[in-house]
Amino acid sequence: MGKISYSITERVCNVAEMIVAKQKNDEKFVPQTKFYASAQQTDYMTLDRFAEHISQHHSKYGKGDVYCVLIEMVSCLREQLLLGNKVSLGDLGDFFITLSCKGAEYYNEFSAQNITKINVVWEQGETFKTLRKDANFELVETRKASAETLKKMREAYPVRPELDSEDPEDATIMHTLNISSENAAQGSVNTAVNKDYEKGSSVEIKATPASGYEFDQWSDGNKNATRTVIMTEDLTLVAKFKSASGGTVTPPAGGDDDDMGD
């Protein structure tokens, strides 16, 4: 049985009405809130660590073999999705795509240029549909609440000054994020996120290809141009780009997207 940590957070239920009220400067509007569970990640399993875990999980294959298979699986899955195929991976589930588009007023005005995004959908297999039944839950504080509690304790209880900044139990653990582009002429990354973060923080990083190029992968093998990393250690990532097949890569147009899946 697994153990999933969660915290309880308050959320606004009538968000649409709240937006309208703000636009109208309606000071009488009262937001309706309810309390919900929010999952708290306890660790960050990198591809390298995941491959090692599989190799030690009653497997006759070494970590290197498993890592190579996983990398190749990602590449093949991407290839099949680009061919418009639905890929079934047994108990893992099915992968297929849907499209986000800008709507056209008339049928004959719609073209592929209206398609702004390809969404990869994971349809859970039977193994993952039973997660709720097999999980144990543990209520924990949010990282923000924990930091506030620690701050109040430091303010409430006197400590010896010379020990306050040296005690590793009291110190806030920070990790440094550093992302860069392998070739600035081929693409860029959002370097504004390069700084120190508290351990466990989530940070979104993004790689943007230049005209004529497309994103290939990050230096850790991840194929997602935009992704979220969890700061469990100092992290350095390099974005790699390649020549675009079929000519210049044009970023999708802005505007409201409508999902056009089945």
Side-chain angles (χ1 to χ4, degrees):
M1 298 288 283
K3 184 183 72 174
I4 297 177
S5 298
Y6 73 98
S7 59
I8 300 175
T9 57
E10 186 178 18
R11 301 178 188 173
V12 176
C13 303
N14 52 343
V15 176
E17 292 87 344
M18 182 179 69
I19 294 174
V20 173
K22 285 186 176 180
Q23 292 173 343
K24 294 181 178 180
N25 293 320
D26 184 1
E27 297 181 355
K28 295 182 179 180
F29 175 79
V30 178
Q32 299 173 7
T33 62
K34 288 186 178 180
F35 292 91
Y36 296 88
S38 179
Q40 299 292 319
Q41 282 73 39
T42 54
D43 197 1
Y44 177 60
M45 180 68 73
T46 63
L47 181 62
D48 186 73
R49 290 178 59 192
F50 189 51
E52 183 175 12
H53 174 77
I54 293 176
S55 69
Q56 297 174 351
H57 205 270
H58 309 293
S59 173
K60 64 180 180 180
Y61 300 102
K63 171 186 172 182
D65 296 323
V66 175
Y67 184 89
C68 291
V69 170
L70 290 174
I71 290 292
E72 194 61 31
M73 185 194 77
V74 172
S75 177
C76 291
L77 178 59
R78 184 179 189 274
E79 177 185 346
Q80 293 302 313
L81 292 176
L82 283 173
L83 290 172
N85 294 330
K86 183 174 183 177
V87 182
S88 179
L89 296 179
D91 287 344
L92 179 59
D94 298 339
F95 292 81
F96 56 94
I97 64 170
T98 62
L99 304 177
S100 293
C101 310
K102 291 177 61 179
E105 188 173 355
Y106 297 98
Y107 174 85
N108 62 353
E109 291 181 349
F110 190 92
S111 70
Q113 296 302 316
N114 290 70
I115 300 174
T116 59
K117 185 180 180 182
I118 295 178
N119 309 300
V120 179
V121 179
W122 170 47
E123 194 173 75
Q124 296 178 359
E126 292 301 320
T127 297
F128 293 90
K129 292 179 180 179
T130 59
L131 287 178
R132 175 64 183 84
K133 182 183 69 173
D134 296 334
N136 287 323
F137 295 93
E138 178 183 42
L139 178 61
V140 298
E141 286 186 318
T142 62
R143 286 191 294 271
K144 180 178 179 181
S146 297
E148 290 176 350
T149 299
L150 181 59
K151 180 180 179 181
K152 290 179 180 178
M153 289 181 63
R154 285 175 171 170
E155 293 173 348
Y157 299 100
V159 295
R160 193 179 299 278
E162 62 270 22
L163 298 180
D164 186 32
S165 60
E166 298 177 1
D167 189 350
E169 293 296 326
D170 290 338
T172 299
I173 300 176
M174 304 294 288
H175 292 302
T176 302
L177 175 63
N178 182 32
I179 64 172
S180 61
S181 172
E182 186 178 53
N183 189 327
Q186 298 178 359
S188 61
V189 297
N190 58 326
T191 53
V193 300
N194 285 343
K195 54 186 177 181
D196 293 336
Y197 293 91
E198 186 177 343
K199 181 179 181 180
S201 297
S202 300
V203 187
E204 183 178 89
I205 61 175
K206 182 178 181 180
T208 304
S211 178
Y213 296 90
E214 62 183 23
F215 176 74
D216 183 16
Q217 65 178 13
W218 294 94
S219 54
D220 65 350
N222 190 290
K223 298 284 187 178
N224 297 315
T226 300
R227 56 187 283 204
T228 299
V229 295
I230 309 297
M231 299 302 298
T232 58
E233 58 186 355
D234 289 348
L235 187 60
T236 298
L237 293 171
V238 179
K240 301 180 180 181
F241 302 89
K242 61 183 179 181
S243 296
S245 57
T248 301
V249 175
T250 303
D256 294 335
D257 290 345
D258 294 317
D259 187 77
M260 296 184 61
D262 295 337

